[in-house]
Amino acid sequence: DMGWGKTLKRPAPGLLSSARSIDDVNQIVVAPNPNLKPEYSEKVVGALSYYFGKTGNNIIEVVGSHNKITGQILGRTLTDIEFGNTEPELAGYDFVSTTNADNPITFRSLEFNYKQRLSFLPYILRGTSLNGSYTRSYADRRSFGTVPHSVKGGLDYRFGKF
């Protein structure tokens, strides 16, 4: 299988306009950014699947993806000068806000999946299946929330309407 798509992700309304929060003790201002632009992404995904066994319910699969995001929305801490502060009473404060990334970021991943229905078990246990996956993900620069290695697995059971 192959797939391709483009998306546009608009900023949440609270990131564009909301009340500022000022912490005078720590000299921090949390502020919206009305100049925030949408994120654009383009993604390509390819998968190879092999179904096996008498029922065809068992599968080995390899999935690869490539996702390029332009204008990624990032949370940042800025000085009052970087933020463009014009209020003298907030001079020297740090401003926590969101901005768009200057450069695009590219995410890539490769995933291996395995699922097998254990139909060779005795009748009452034939609805048991085993699954597992390993995913390797990386980006061309550090990005919050990117998990480089992920291993997942599970055991499922199904019997009649149960």
Side-chain angles (χ1 to χ4, degrees):
D1 295 335
M2 287 291 290
W4 171 84
K6 283 186 169 187
T7 60
L8 173 127
K9 179 183 170 188
R10 298 194 187 281
L15 297 177
L16 296 168
S17 64
S18 63
R20 307 189 294 195
S21 170
I22 301 172
D23 178 354
D24 289 321
V25 174
N26 296 308
Q27 293 191 323
I28 296 173
V29 178
V30 178
N33 182 354
N35 299 317
L36 208 53
K37 295 177 178 71
E39 286 182 355
Y40 296 92
S41 77
E42 191 169 352
K43 186 172 189 175
V44 177
V45 178
L48 291 171
S49 305
Y50 175 70
Y51 294 88
F52 63 96
K54 293 178 184 176
T55 61
N57 290 339
N58 306 318
I59 185 170
I60 296 174
E61 184 175 47
V62 178
V63 181
S65 70
H66 174 94
N67 190 9
K68 182 178 178 182
I69 299 174
T70 306
Q72 183 183 26
I73 297 171
L74 304 170
R76 289 199 178 148
T77 301
L78 308 166
T79 65
D80 63 319
I81 296 167
E82 291 171 329
F83 185 76
N85 175 45
T86 57
E87 299 177 46
E89 63 272 9
L90 297 178
Y93 279 56
D94 286 330
F95 283 74
V96 177
S97 190
T98 51
T99 61
N100 293 100
D102 296 328
N103 300 315
I105 185 167
T106 302
F107 295 93
R108 293 180 185 91
S109 70
L110 187 62
E111 182 173 356
F112 299 93
N113 297 311
Y114 175 80
K115 183 173 182 178
Q116 182 173 7
R117 188 169 175 195
L118 306 177
S119 56
F120 56 84
L121 293 174
Y123 176 75
I124 198 152
L125 298 174
R126 282 191 188 144
T128 305
S129 62
L130 182 67
N131 64 68
S133 69
Y134 167 76
T135 305
R136 170 70 171 115
S137 300
Y138 52 97
D140 55 7
R141 70 171 184 265
R142 285 188 174 263
S143 180
F144 178 77
T146 301
V147 178
H149 300 276
S150 173
V151 177
K152 300 175 192 167
L155 187 64
D156 299 323
Y157 179 74
R158 184 180 201 165
F159 183 74
K161 294 183 180 183
F162 173 65

